[in-house]
Structure formats: C-alpha cells, structure tokens
Amino acid sequence: MKSKEVIRFLRKIEKENLRNKDSILRKYDEYLLSQGIYRGMDPVAFEQKIKGHTELCDEIIKMYEEAKVDNDKLVLLEDLYAIGYDRDRIVEIILEMFSNKKNFTLLWEYGDLLYRMKRYKYLKRYISIIIDDTIGEDRQMVVLLVGKIILLILK
C-alpha cells in the first residue's frame, strides 16, 4: 500500500472510531477546530494545513497519552509527523510499541511510518525487530527500511 492509501484507510477507520465511546478523535477534532483547522476527508490537504504548526504538538501529545484506541494513537503520531514534530521522539514511541508488542493489529502501519521517517541511526533496533519472528508479517516495512539503509551504506 502506498502512504496515501494507508492514510485514506486510516481515515476510514477514524470515521468508524468516532462512533466508539473510547475514541479520542472527537476531542481531537474539536481541539483542531478551536485552532481554526478542519480535519476533513482529504488527507493531503489536511497535512499541508498542519505542516509547521508545532504549537499543536503539546496538546496532541497529551491526547496521545490519553488515547485508548490503537488507531487513534496512530492517527495522532501520523499528524505529529506531518506537523514536523521531533522525528526521534516519534521513532522512540514506535519502537517501544514494537518491543512491547502491545499492538499487533497496527504494527505494519507503524513500520510504514518508520520507513517514511527514515531515521537511520536506529539501525540496530530495526534489526532487532526484523529478527523477532513473533512479529511476523508486521515487520515488512522495517525490513524494507533496513534494506534501504544497507543500500545507502554500500554506495
């Protein structure tokens, strides 16, 4: 799946999650609206709108910590990435999820976010994910990321 397709898929799940009483996305949407930002169904336009709005990050991090629904957490991390939040901090959060294996349903999507961020200094930790066969197919994007790193090293 391409990144835009992943984001569209996540937005579809978000709509379903808005009906979930445990979802924080309704609160997140209200917060964004209070900041003059509408999180509509066009993910590309939304990402362009929030890019560089680092003043949103503290509140989004708070909501991430409150979030109970796994997809909500992924949506918030995706948005932090789009804003331009500290990439190393996002990578650390994702690597923690892989090491705790708390979320088997969305690890592939988290790997996709790791791939898009391309933070090469975490190579050893990526390799530990790859050799952990309990993660299964969800490590595909991390394998791809390590392959890309190796190609850069060999050049």
Side-chain angles (χ1 to χ4, degrees):
M1 235 188 275
K2 294 181 180 177
S3 297
K4 289 180 184 177
E5 290 172 341
V6 170
I7 292 169
R8 284 188 191 111
F9 173 72
L10 292 174
R11 297 291 186 222
K12 180 181 175 188
I13 293 173
E14 282 177 57
K15 283 180 74 176
E16 294 170 12
N17 284 345
L18 285 173
R19 290 181 233 135
N20 181 340
K21 65 181 176 77
D22 291 330
S23 178
I24 201 160
L25 293 182
R26 183 167 285 128
K27 179 180 176 182
Y28 180 50
D29 285 342
E30 290 170 4
Y31 169 69
L32 289 175
L33 283 172
S34 75
Q35 303 301 307
I37 299 170
Y38 173 67
R39 191 171 65 93
M41 291 311 295
D42 182 357
V44 175
F46 173 69
E47 286 180 5
Q48 290 172 349
K49 179 85 172 167
I50 64 172
K51 185 176 184 177
H53 282 277
T54 55
E55 72 279 2
L56 303 173
C57 293
D58 289 341
E59 190 64 28
I60 294 173
I61 290 292
K62 287 179 193 171
M63 287 186 203
Y64 174 85
E65 291 168 351
E66 290 175 32
K68 297 175 184 171
V69 178
D70 294 330
N71 185 67
D72 292 359
K73 290 183 176 194
L74 183 58
V75 167
L76 296 170
L77 288 179
E78 290 273 359
D79 290 354
L80 286 169
Y81 170 67
I83 288 170
Y85 183 70
D86 180 358
R87 302 291 194 253
D88 289 328
R89 182 65 191 119
I90 296 172
V91 169
E92 291 291 336
I93 291 169
I94 294 171
L95 290 174
E96 183 68 24
M97 289 184 175
F98 271 98
S99 66
N100 289 339
K101 299 178 191 105
K102 289 180 181 174
N103 181 354
F104 282 108
T105 60
L106 295 174
L107 287 178
W108 189 95
E109 289 80 4
Y110 284 112
D112 180 63
L113 183 54
L114 287 175
Y115 180 81
R116 286 184 279 136
M117 287 191 291
K118 294 178 179 46
R119 303 304 284 184
Y120 301 141
K121 70 182 187 179
Y122 296 94
L123 179 60
K124 288 181 182 178
R125 293 182 68 190
Y126 299 150
I127 291 172
S128 69
I129 291 169
I130 290 171
I131 62 175
D132 184 349
D133 60 356
T134 64
I135 298 173
E137 292 179 6
D138 290 330
R139 54 195 166 160
Q140 287 176 341
M141 293 306 293
V142 181
V143 171
L144 189 60
L145 173 58
V146 169
K148 186 162 191 93
I149 294 169
I150 292 170
L151 284 175
L152 288 172
I153 292 170
L154 294 175
K155 282 186 177 183

